[in-house]
Amino acid sequence: MWTTSIAQAAGQAEDFARLRARFEKAFSFLQETDLLALPTGKVIIDQDLVFADVQCYTTMAPEECPFESHRAYFDLQYVAQGEELFQVAPVSELTPSMDYDPQRDLLFYREPAGSSQLLLRGGDFAIVSPQEGHAPRRMTAGGPCQVKKIVVKVKIG
C-alpha cells in the first residue's frame, strides 16, 4: 500500500523527485532483504542519507502513542508483520507538546481533533514527510498486536 497525505502529496512531488536515488535505495533494501530475519536496531543503507530502524513492539492505546514528526528525514514505515492503526495530520494543524529535539530529530504533539487513519498490515507501508505528523504503533479494534516494522529514514538535505 502506498500512502501519503493527499493534501500534501502534490506539494511533495519536487522533494520525491530530488530524492529519487535515496528512495530507490530504500525500496531496494526492503525488496532485497529478509526483513523478518533482521534483528532490532539500526541498519546503515547509505551512510546517514538512508538507514533503517528495525522495530519490534506491541501496539498500544492512542494515549500511549502521541503524534510525532521529523524535520531532517522522510519516514518510509514498512510493516513486515502484524498490523497497526497509523494516523496522519499536517503539522500545521498540530500543537507541539515539547520542544524539537534535533539530536533525535523528533517533535511530539498533542492529540489533534481530526486526522486521517490508515490500517497498515504486513506488507503495507506509509511515507510521511516532515510536513506531516504521524501517530504509529496504535492498536486496532482487535486489541494489542505484535508488530515488526522497518522504518527507513531518507534524509532531506
Side-chain angles (χ1 to χ4, degrees), residues 5-66:
S5 293
I6 293 171
Q8 297 290 328
Q12 298 306 314
E14 187 176 303
D15 285 335
F16 284 119
R18 183 174 52 82
L19 299 172
R20 179 179 177 172
R22 293 179 191 172
F23 276 102
E24 286 175 352
K25 288 178 183 179
F27 283 111
S28 291
F29 171 79
L30 292 173
Q31 292 171 334
E32 298 169 4
T33 305
D34 181 356
L35 302 174
L36 294 177
L38 288 174
T40 58
K42 188 174 182 176
V43 178
I44 302 297
I45 299 168
D46 183 7
Q47 303 170 33
D48 72 331
L49 301 175
V50 183
F51 65 89
D53 179 18
V54 181
Q55 306 171 357
C56 291
Y57 55 84
T58 302
T59 56
M60 299 173 275
E63 55 272 10
E64 298 177 75
C65 310

Side-chain angles (χ1 to χ4, degrees), residues 3-4 73-77 86 88 126-130 132-134:
T3 186
T4 187
Y73 290 87
F74 274 83
D75 268 8
L76 192 169
Q77 299 211 7
F86 189 86
V88 182
I127 295 176
V128 288
S129 74
E132 298 168 303
H134 54 285

Side-chain angles (χ1 to χ4, degrees), residues 78-112:
Y78 179 87
V79 175
Q81 189 172 49
E83 67 178 24
E84 70 179 28
L85 289 180
F86 189 86
Q87 291 181 275
V88 182
V91 295
S92 61
E93 298 176 10
L94 298 174
T95 303
S97 63
M98 62 175 274
D99 290 332
Y100 173 69
D101 181 344
Q103 298 293 349
R104 296 171 56 202
D105 186 33
L106 183 64
L107 179 58
F108 285 120
Y109 299 90
R110 293 187 180 94
E111 188 71 20

